[in-house]
Amino acid sequence: MTVIPLRLPRRLLEFTLDGQETRVPEGSTILDACRAAGKDIPTLCEGDTLTPKNACRVCVVEVEGARVLAPACSRKAEAGMTVLTDSPRARHSRKIVLELLASSTDLSTTPRAAEWIKEYKAKPDRFGPDAARLDEEPKIDNDLYVRDYDKCIQCYKCVDACGEQWQNSFAISVAGRGFDARISTEHDGPLTDSACVYCGNCIEVCPTGALSFKSEFDMREAGTWNEEIQTETTTICAYCGVGCNLTLHVQENEIVKVTSPHDNPVTHGNLCIKGRFGFQHVQER
Amino acid sequence: MDLHFGDSKPTDEERAAVDSLLGPPTSAWEGAEDRTDADLRWARGGREARERRDLLLPGLHAINDRIGWISEGALDYLCRRLTVPPAEAYGVATFYAMFAVKPRPAKVLHVCTDLACASKGSAALCAGLEERLGAAGSAAGGLVWQPSPCLGLCERAPAALVIQAGVPSDEGSVPLPLASTGSGRDGATQVQLGGARPSWPAGANPAGPARTGNGVSAEPAARRYTTAVIAPATAEALVLAAAEPAAAPAEPAASLAVPQAGQPGLSLLARVGVVDPYSLDDYRAHDGYRALRRAFDLGPAGVIREVTDAGLVGRGGAAFPTGRKWQATASQPVRQHYLVCNADESEPGTFKDRVVMEGDPYALIESMTIAGYAVGADRGYLYLRGEYPRALRLLQNAIDQARARGLLGDDILGQGYAFDIEIRRGAGAYICGEETALFNSIEGYRGEPRSKPPFPVESGLFGKPTAENNVETLINVLPILNQGAAAYAAIGTGQSTGPKLFCVSGNVGKPGIYELPFGATLGELLELAQAPDTMRAILLGGAAGGFVRPDELDIPLTFEGTRAAGTTLGSGVVLVLDDTVPLPRMLVRIAEFFRDESCGQCVPCRVGTVRQEEALHRIVDRTGADAAQDIALLREVGAAMKDASICGLGQTAWSAVESAIDRLGAYK
Ligand SMILES: Cc1cc2nc3c(=O)[nH]c(=O)nc-3n(C[C@H](O)[C@H](O)[C@H](O)COP(=O)(O)O)c2cc1C
Ligand code: SF4
Ligand code: SF4
Ligand code: SF4
Ligand code: FES
Ligand code: FES
């Protein structure tokens, strides 16, 4: 069941979306309107539980009269606006952004990336074999999760989830700038020396698989990870009285990772270390 | 928030650096050595300390200035004092080019390799340094040298800046108890940061060390914080200056950057070279503070009306009407408004703001006071780029003098208007000139631009309504009030009114700042600056601007005129390249600049600037069909950068290259 928290009724405003008169509640983003209208716009840094940083720019749309394109995920719809979601300009920028990302980053575990690359006819190879890449080694410094920043698109979601939007641990931040910017702990130390509390909420929001359970990482390395045969069961965490919802991902009768439903009005997909990682005892048969 | 601190400890010197800014810690929670009984019962810090987050950047400066780099222990201590998570502070420290988080020598020599300096032989200069000091970036003999983006000294290219870390010259003379350092948000308290009180006799090298040293408590042998500017530079001079920065020759007066200095008819530059920039009395004797009195007569709404009627348009690059910005800020019902002066000036080829600040610092202080009055701000921030040591000293002196004489403070000129100005030093990041990145930088966050809307007039510094203006924009307020809007509007053209400063550099006989009424043509300006017959290209508006050809000298230098000619006036840069300058290499340099300066937030800019630089490297020696494929690639990537980047940096990072291809036929 999807629980929709009741909000104060909001005024509706009217604007034109791809030639269609559209009405959305005040405060909606252009992306909200698109989704309500059944339009599929690619998004990466947008997340259903976070305020997006609008940094990836794959969701850009054309707003009539504006000098530059607007990120659909963050720009609020305004009354009287005219928006084109699929104009040649918007499509061109999306294509280039996908090329830039795929040429510099490993998108192999980014859901839907391959599909969008095809749809927009992006050719990440055309920057040549010498095009700079992130080229990072996976950081494996604890038994719970792995940071593989070669796959990181710098979407800031993990930073926001760890910091002021959810966890308030502030264990990670963006360090450096430009192409050299990386998600980093203080002084780039190992996670075990940082403020990390291993809630795994960063893994929950990471859109690319740059952050993953050690169990998943190891199975991918060994070639045994197979999402197709996995089952997902949502249950209630038994550790404490909060009663968070856990979704157990099970492959061949082993729990391989734990997520949490984002539409839960209490936890919004967040867990603590016990619910997220404390599943070994279940399988000690 | 649950903060986690590592166990690295600051050294005594690092602790002293932080304490000189924040005062001694009041409890073990803040990092005091001894735990008292009270500490066990009370955990202080929390919200109160967290609200001083904006002292993070000054704190990082304090450590970096004293030690030369920022260690784990030092950063941790600063974080404890301010209740800032260490990972975030690390993210901030690594954002700025002037800070190091790895050990490095106390002396760092920054050698400009940007456009104007490149046209005046910075490559040879670097080769000479390599011979004498070893490769760039390698530390030897207590010194490291490194190439730098534009230092804002383009009229004296090639330029260099030495910074020697050490004890501030006025250490001990300005006690800064915690109670007196306000949060910056309550407006009631004042922070006096930078500590750059002038303690040198008149005429001494103002950028050099303190010569009198009164009140200095440190050991005589202690290394002093010293900066020296060497421009124009030779390798020999640089090696000497780097060995002993305190003994480096004094910088020439700012007025030498103004070829028209002392000529009649100047307005913005009238006082440069005429007044003593240290002396408030001299400033007053030359018309100073007349405009502020007029402002008080007019009232805030009257000032805004004058500025609007005068048709003043922003000089920082975006050409936004100033009156509209002020009106929008003033009319916000939320209280606590801020005025921010953007003195970041890091656009390659731009040095006008520096010359004004060094030659006529009180003019800026008076202008900011008037602007603050108009928009209803009781607090102004002057965000000054970190590479301007002389401007820092002069402005700090001007603020201190004005405050001492009741021209800043609780009750200015007995008019019941309270306003004070605080200087914030940038730390080497061009992007911090972008208006919202600048707010983040002041607030103690990474200098990343915010997405707009909301616009600063609604939600700016500390989330409050803020008017942000360029230095040159602000000082135009003086002639507007002194002459009246109508007389001012009569200067220039219908849409570009008033006088305009131009930064002329590169291969010209008389580089410097020129003041001309709007509407003069490019040719007229270049005639004054003695451009050579062998001109190959002229860059208008800086690295974010565009190139024009030597046969386009009749372009009128106005906002509308340059727009009609398909180019831009930007920040007033006119950089001349003659036919000896290898154009493709200059384009690579422009691309390098943007790649280095991208904040890294958005993909089109973060990766696009890298791909742009790669393509320009590939075609640096190619033309015609050999270059065609890469030029097509550049166009495609450039279009997405222009369209989809968050801020002006990514949006303009390809303009100059594009214009070189289209207007100059760079790779034909
Ligand atoms: C990347 C970037 C750098 C900028 N640097 C500066 C600067 O150094 N000084 C400045 O006054 N404006 C700079 N600007 C423009 C400011 O964002 C802003 O438009 C200006 O300060 C507004 O002042 P004005 O209205 O007086 O021109 C920069 C803009 C961008 C996008
Ligand atoms: S690690 Fe994942 S969540 Fe964090 S910035 Fe990178 S891609 Fe985004
Ligand atoms: S995930 Fe953590 S907080 Fe939630 S119920 Fe389990 S133990 Fe409690
Ligand atoms: S355009 Fe460049 S500088 Fe501006 S926000 Fe994007 S990455 Fe940062
Ligand atoms: S999803 Fe909108 S910018 Fe990333
Ligand atoms: S100081 Fe070197 S280009 Fe400006």
Side-chain angles (χ1 to χ4, degrees):
Chain A
M1 183 190 72
T2 308
V3 183
I4 298 169
L6 290 178
R7 295 210 195 102
L8 288 174
R10 287 183 291 170
R11 271 196 302 164
L12 291 181
L13 55 83
E14 216 166 283
F15 75 107
T16 315
L17 188 62
D18 292 333
Q20 221 53 38
E21 283 304 312
T22 312
R23 301 175 77 191
V24 291
E26 215 171 20
S28 307
T29 62
I30 294 174
L31 185 66
D32 293 334
C34 290
R35 288 188 172 157
K39 292 180 196 292
D40 182 26
I41 303 218
T43 56
L44 285 167
C45 71
E46 185 264 352
D48 50 353
T49 63
L50 295 158
T51 305
K53 191 85 173 169
N54 63 73
C56 78
R57 317 306 275 189
V58 291
C59 71
V60 285
V61 295
E62 197 167 337
V63 177
E64 203 179 85
R67 190 173 44 87
V68 292
L69 302 175
C73 65
S74 305
R75 177 62 54 83
K76 301 264 189 296
E78 288 163 35
M81 222 179 200
T82 301
V83 177
L84 294 174
T85 65
D86 219 30
S87 70
R89 253 174 96 193
R91 288 190 71 90
H92 173 80
S93 280
R94 277 184 220 151
K95 168 186 138 167
I96 297 289
V97 163
L98 288 165
E99 285 178 345
L100 293 173
L101 269 182
S103 66
S104 55
T105 318
D106 171 5
L107 296 183
S108 62
T109 51
T110 304
R112 302 199 63 191
E115 176 196 328
W116 291 326
I117 285 175
K118 216 159 143 196
E119 182 191 336
Y120 287 92
K121 301 194 178 63
K123 296 188 200 69
D125 292 343
R126 67 185 176 132
F127 301 114
D130 299 330
R133 296 186 61 85
L134 269 65
D135 279 331
E136 298 274 305
E137 286 300 312
K139 289 188 186 323
I140 310 172
D141 52 15
N142 67 87
D143 291 334
L144 301 182
Y145 73 95
V146 175
R147 298 176 289 154
D148 186 358
Y149 290 138
D150 205 27
K151 294 178 171 173
C152 173
I153 60 164
Q154 308 279 339
C155 71
Y156 291 67
K157 278 163 114 175
C158 55
V159 176
D160 288 342
C162 181
E164 62 178 10
Q165 292 198 28
W166 293 118
Q167 191 59 29
N168 267 282
S169 285
F170 299 93
I172 46 177
S173 167
V174 180
R177 73 179 184 213
F179 197 71
D180 300 326
R182 295 290 185 276
I183 305 298
S184 167
T185 55
E186 72 225 53
H187 284 276
D188 206 12
L191 214 51
T192 45
D193 288 352
S194 77
C196 174
V197 297
Y198 304 95
C199 62
N201 293 334
C202 55
I203 310 173
E204 183 78 49
V205 297
C206 180
T208 62
L211 305 175
S212 69
F213 277 67
K214 179 87 166 29
S215 49
E216 174 175 346
F217 183 84
D218 289 344
M219 288 173 76
R220 282 189 189 274
E221 292 274 281
T224 56
W225 181 260
N226 185 350
E227 243 157 67
E228 267 159 34
I229 61 167
Q230 287 172 12
T231 57
E232 291 178 19
T233 312
T234 298
T235 176
I236 290 182
C237 174
Y239 275 111
C240 88
V242 172
C244 303
N245 282 12
L246 306 180
T247 301
L248 308 176
H249 298 242
V250 177
Q251 178 177 335
E252 286 154 346
N253 217 22
E254 291 275 333
I255 300 172
V256 291
K257 72 171 175 184
V258 175
T259 58
S260 177
H262 289 197
D263 57 4
N264 183 300
V266 179
T267 61
H268 301 281
N270 296 306
L271 296 171
C272 81
I273 181 172
K274 291 180 284 182
R276 182 83 67 189
F277 292 109
F279 53 80
Q280 279 312 321
H281 75 287
V282 181
Q283 19 210 57
E284 259 151 32
R285 290 173 288 246
Chain B
M1 156 162 66
D2 227 8
L3 289 192
H4 170 281
F5 298 103
D7 43 19
S8 16
K9 292 266 175 296
T11 64
D12 288 346
E13 208 185 355
E14 289 166 344
R15 190 184 279 273
V18 174
D19 291 353
S20 71
L21 176 75
L22 301 176
T26 53
S27 77
W29 297 102
E30 279 203 341
E33 296 281 12
D34 300 315
R35 202 187 287 261
T36 64
D37 280 354
D39 290 340
L40 295 174
R41 283 187 206 100
W42 289 96
R44 263 166 300 176
R47 174 188 289 268
E48 198 185 317
R50 215 175 307 147
E51 288 199 340
R52 292 182 292 146
R53 165 93 185 221
D54 65 301
L55 293 180
L56 182 60
L57 183 57
L60 293 171
H61 266 302
I63 299 167
N64 201 72
D65 282 356
R66 180 96 149 216
I67 317 293
W69 68 286
I70 299 162
S71 73
E72 272 189 64
L75 189 72
D76 246 30
Y77 180 60
L78 180 62
C79 287
R80 229 181 253 275
R81 297 297 314 275
L82 296 174
T83 325
V84 170
E88 283 198 356
Y90 180 70
V92 173
T94 53
F95 187 83
Y96 296 100
M98 291 175 86
F99 297 147
V101 293
K102 301 230 164 63
R104 69 170 175 191
K107 268 184 283 189
V108 182
L109 171 59
H110 303 263
V111 183
C112 179
T113 54
D114 227 316
L115 304 173
C117 291
S119 77
K120 292 287 193 91
S122 63
L125 185 61
C126 287
L129 283 178
E130 204 153 290
E131 230 166 71
R132 292 169 174 82
L133 300 173
S138 58
L143 169 78
V144 60
W145 77 275
Q146 58 191 48
S148 153
C150 177
L151 291 166
L153 298 158
C154 323
E155 86 279 12
R156 283 184 273 146
L161 169 68
V162 191
I163 301 177
Q164 171 181 282
V167 183
S169 351
D170 64 344
E171 181 77 335
S173 62
V174 194
L176 280 169
L178 195 58
S180 79
T181 56
S183 69
R185 237 152 301 189
D186 56 18
T189 48
Q190 268 109 49
V191 192
Q192 294 175 19
L193 297 170
R197 279 149 200 271
S199 42
W200 54 88
N205 173 9
R211 303 272 157 91
T212 50
N214 44 338
V216 170
S217 57
E219 299 289 304
R223 200 183 53 237
R224 298 244 160 249
Y225 175 79
T226 314
T227 59
V229 161
I230 307 98
T234 60
E236 296 77 35
L238 282 191
V239 171
L240 279 178
E244 216 189 322
E251 262 193 272
S255 54
L256 290 185
V258 179
Q260 299 160 307
Q263 283 178 19
L266 294 178
S267 170
L268 304 175
L269 298 177
R271 272 183 297 255
V272 176
V274 174
V275 294
D276 172 0
Y278 290 99
S279 163
L280 177 55
D281 288 326
D282 207 18
Y283 177 68
R284 295 181 84 149
H286 287 86
D287 237 15
Y289 281 102
R290 185 153 75 88
L292 180 63
R293 287 177 200 281
R294 172 102 205 286
F296 285 136
D297 290 343
L298 290 167
V303 174
I304 295 177
R305 202 178 325 111
E306 287 288 289
V307 168
T308 308
D309 291 349
L312 178 61
V313 166
R315 311 289 204 241
F320 191 83
T322 305
R324 250 173 54 207
K325 187 184 284 187
W326 288 14
Q327 178 59 44
T329 311
S331 62
Q332 297 291 325
V334 181
R335 267 305 118 182
Q336 185 79 26
H337 294 180
Y338 290 106
L339 175 81
V340 173
C341 171
N342 189 342
D344 194 51
E345 190 163 67
S346 309
E347 170 87 51
T350 317
F351 50 100
K352 64 190 173 74
D353 296 344
R354 172 182 59 81
V355 171
V356 167
M357 291 186 290
E358 291 181 348
D360 195 8
Y362 289 97
L364 181 57
I365 304 306
E366 182 184 359
S367 309
M368 284 181 70
T369 312
I370 296 169
Y373 178 67
V375 302
D378 55 10
R379 205 171 175 79
Y381 283 87
L382 204 173
Y383 190 89
L384 181 68
R385 80 174 293 200
E387 294 90 336
Y388 280 178
R390 178 156 73 171
L392 173 67
R393 282 165 183 273
L394 282 157
L395 288 165
Q396 189 62 55
N397 171 63
I399 290 171
D400 293 344
Q401 300 299 320
R403 195 182 288 130
R405 301 273 284 276
L407 291 160
L408 285 175
D410 292 339
D411 183 16
I412 295 172
L413 291 176
Q415 297 283 326
Y417 169 56
F419 183 74
D420 216 316
I421 298 173
E422 186 182 317
I423 299 178
R424 284 304 171 99
R425 276 161 80 196
Y430 165 63
I431 187 59
C432 289
E434 197 282 337
E435 51 187 351
T436 57
L438 192 154
F439 301 148
N440 279 333
S441 179
I442 293 182
E443 290 179 23
Y445 294 89
R446 292 166 55 80
E448 292 170 346
R450 303 173 183 171
S451 55
K452 296 184 274 191
F455 291 94
V457 294
E458 207 181 304
S459 171
L461 187 62
F462 300 116
K464 300 289 191 216
T466 304
E468 176 173 332
N469 283 112
N470 173 259
V471 172
E472 185 191 342
T473 311
L474 286 168
I475 59 161
N476 268 281
V477 172
L478 304 177
I480 290 175
L481 292 188
N482 285 333
Q483 302 167 15
Y488 180 93
I491 308 167
T493 64
Q495 285 172 55
S496 304
T497 58
K500 173 77 191 103
L501 300 182
F502 295 98
C503 318
V504 188
S505 62
N507 307 119
V508 294
K510 282 187 166 181
I513 303 293
Y514 288 84
E515 176 182 325
L516 291 175
F518 266 119
T521 64
L522 179 58
E524 285 162 356
L525 173 64
L526 288 179
E527 203 177 308
L528 288 177
Q530 298 176 358
D533 300 331
T534 52
M535 269 195 291
R536 162 90 166 89
I538 303 139
L539 181 63
L540 284 189
F547 284 100
V548 298
R549 291 186 308 272
D551 62 4
E552 296 181 288
L553 294 182
D554 52 358
I555 295 181
L557 296 172
T558 56
F559 295 117
E560 65 279 12
T562 45
R563 206 177 308 126
T567 180
T568 171
L569 210 52
S571 50
V573 169
V574 178
L575 194 132
V576 175
L577 302 180
D578 68 15
D579 55 9
T580 64
V581 178
L583 191 59
R585 284 185 200 277
M586 295 299 260
L587 300 183
V588 169
R589 171 61 219 169
I590 292 177
E592 233 175 57
F593 174 81
F594 284 108
R595 186 257 289 138
D596 275 347
E597 299 296 333
S598 166
C599 81
Q601 253 191 128
C602 63
V603 177
C605 175
R606 180 178 74 233
V607 191
T609 52
V610 173
R611 298 289 175 255
Q612 168 171 286
E613 191 196 336
E614 289 169 349
L616 289 171
H617 267 297
R618 280 197 293 271
I619 58 176
V620 78
D621 295 320
R622 284 195 250 150
T623 49
D626 292 342
Q629 202 184 338
D630 276 313
I631 288 178
L633 194 69
L634 280 166
R635 284 191 198 281
E636 283 200 38
V637 173
M641 286 163 68
K642 203 176 259 186
D643 259 356
S645 297
I646 295 180
C647 84
L649 188 147
Q651 289 160 10
T652 59
W654 140 255
S655 327
V657 179
E658 183 182 29
S659 68
I661 294 170
D662 290 344
R663 274 184 121 104
L664 304 179
Y667 300 98
K668 278 249 174 67

